[in-house]
Amino acid sequence: MIYTADELNNADRDELIGIILSLQKNIARMTQNQELILEQIAILRGQRFGRHSEKMNVIDGQMSLFLTNRKPQPANRAHRQKNRILRKLSSAGKRSRKGNVKTT
């Protein structure tokens, strides 16, 4: 119940003591509830943003931005082999063109 200033001024001593005791009980109950809620929030934050949420699942063949000591994946080996072949063809083409150039 919400009391007005006039009601509190006109209340007798026993009534005021009862109101104060009731308010103290409410404050104690609310403080206990607040502590429980804060504890629950801390637990939920730990579950949501804690260490275990940062575990990474490695998918086979997926590239990683992190340095690792893993063997190159077959796709990477194929890419390097293709680049080697292209370099060989490119350098072979340059050599063959050098022979076709006429000097005057």
Side-chain angles (χ1 to χ4, degrees):
M1 178 174 189
I2 298 176
Y3 296 98
T4 63
D6 288 337
E7 289 174 333
L8 291 173
N9 280 334
N10 294 332
D12 64 350
R13 182 175 186 268
D14 290 335
E15 197 174 346
L16 290 174
I17 290 174
I19 292 171
I20 291 173
L21 291 175
S22 172
L23 290 174
Q24 285 177 337
K25 284 180 187 177
N26 285 341
I27 290 172
R29 186 176 36 84
M30 293 170 89
T31 302
Q32 185 179 15
N33 286 342
Q34 181 185 17
E35 289 171 0
L36 290 174
I37 290 171
L38 291 175
E39 185 178 346
Q40 289 174 348
I41 289 172
I43 290 169
L44 292 173
R45 279 186 181 157
Q47 289 174 349
R48 176 76 172 132
F49 302 109
R51 289 185 138 218
H52 74 281
S53 68
E54 295 184 16
K55 289 181 183 173
M56 294 180 9
N57 295 330
V58 178
I59 300 171
D60 217 15
Q62 180 181 10
M63 296 180 73
S64 174
L65 297 175
F66 305 103
L67 298 176
T68 61
N69 293 330
R70 297 181 69 202
K71 292 181 182 178
Q73 297 297 321
N76 293 340
R77 277 190 243 132
H79 182 70
R80 283 197 306 268
Q81 187 177 8
K82 177 184 167 188
N83 284 342
R84 272 190 242 120
I85 292 170
L86 290 175
R87 280 195 301 266
K88 285 181 184 177
L89 290 174
S90 175
S91 63
K94 288 179 186 176
R95 279 187 252 138
S96 66
R97 281 183 264 160
K98 285 183 183 177
N100 292 338
V101 177
K102 295 182 183 179
T103 56
T104 52

